[in-house]
Amino acid sequence: MSTYTTEIDVRFRDIDAMGHVNNAVYATYLEQARTTYFRDVLDADISALATVLASLSIDFRRPVELTDGAVTVEIEIADLGTSSVTMTHDVRADDALVAEADATLVRLDPDSGEPAPIPAEHRSTIESYHGI
């Protein structure tokens, strides 16, 4: 079973008046991690797929500061449905858990806008990569 991991630099623009990464930026980190997941694991450009974010929840554990330099986002698959996939994300800085998140993505039929089955090749790649 593999966990997908990617590193994201903490940028000066991510820092808010409190001196730590603004809570809204975490959603951007997660989006960036999912984008690289699609590229690296599925060999797909997420922007070319009819996929939408249906839900997102984030639990914050500790602030991230500019001096942390980078965060690591680990992605696992919590649920692989017919047209949706729920991903869990652990965000770490210096090996410390700083946030946990769940995101559900839904595949859409580009013509009707209705949920559509995840392509068989993506499903099999996800199952193989994560051992599910």
Side-chain angles (χ1 to χ4, degrees), residues 20-39:
H20 52 74
V21 171
N22 183 274
N23 62 309
V25 174
Y26 285 78
T28 300
Y29 290 165
L30 301 174
E31 178 182 62
Q32 188 173 345
R34 286 191 306 274
T35 300
T36 60
Y37 176 93
F38 270 68
R39 182 195 67 209

Side-chain angles (χ1 to χ4, degrees), residues 2 9 28 39 52 54 60-61 74 76-77 105 118 120 129:
S2 292
D9 289 335
T28 300
R39 182 195 67 209
V52 296
F60 302 97
R61 303 294 178 220
E74 300 169 349
E76 287 286 352
I77 302 301
L105 303 172
I118 296 169
Y129 186 88

Side-chain angles (χ1 to χ4, degrees), residues 34-51 107 122:
R34 286 191 306 274
T35 300
T36 60
Y37 176 93
F38 270 68
R39 182 195 67 209
D40 296 345
V41 175
L42 300 177
D43 193 28
D45 177 356
I46 195 170
S47 68
L49 302 175
T51 303
R107 168 103 166 130
H122 288 174

Side-chain angles (χ1 to χ4, degrees), residues 39-97:
R39 182 195 67 209
D40 296 345
V41 175
L42 300 177
D43 193 28
D45 177 356
I46 195 170
S47 68
L49 302 175
T51 303
V52 296
L53 181 64
S55 70
L56 175 65
S57 66
I58 305 171
D59 293 322
F60 302 97
R61 303 294 178 220
R62 82 150 174 89
V64 174
E65 299 175 346
L66 187 61
T67 56
D68 286 314
V71 295
T72 301
V73 181
E74 300 169 349
I75 296 177
E76 287 286 352
I77 302 301
D79 184 54
L80 184 59
T82 301
S83 61
S84 65
V85 59
T86 300
M87 299 176 153
T88 61
H89 306 74
D90 284 351
V91 183
R92 299 182 182 279
D94 295 325
D95 292 325
L97 184 64

